[in-house]
Amino acid sequence: MTATLRKTVLSSVWQYFRLFVIGCFVTFFIFVIAFHDINRLFTSNTLVTWSGILVFNGRLAIVGGLSSVIVGKLVLPKS
């Protein structure tokens, strides 16, 4: 049984960038849900709270994007 609906082939820089962006978004939202109180996020309007979340989760999202590219390079077919 295959884990994907269609065959993903990494053959250009654009496809690696797309994989990086998807990894960043997924990691960002997982860490927002896991580490932050969702009710407090939507009731507070302070710039410090939102900028802190963006900086903290932004760094983690970049790591998640890079790891998705590395795993994609190792696992996904090349041609």
Side-chain angles (χ1 to χ4, degrees), residues 23-37:
C24 282
F25 279 130
V26 168
T27 305
F28 183 82
F29 288 116
I30 285 174
F31 278 107
V32 166
I33 291 169
F35 289 126
H36 302 289
D37 183 16

Side-chain angles (χ1 to χ4, degrees), residues 33-79:
I33 291 169
F35 289 126
H36 302 289
D37 183 16
I38 301 299
N39 293 328
R40 187 176 59 96
L41 290 178
F42 291 111
T43 57
S44 69
N45 289 332
T46 61
L47 183 61
V48 174
T49 302
W50 284 97
S51 62
I53 289 170
L54 288 175
V55 168
F56 176 71
N57 289 340
R59 290 184 288 178
L60 293 173
I62 290 172
V63 171
L66 290 174
S67 65
S68 69
V69 169
I70 291 169
V71 170
K73 180 76 171 162
L74 295 174
V75 174
L76 293 174
K78 289 10 172 223
S79 58

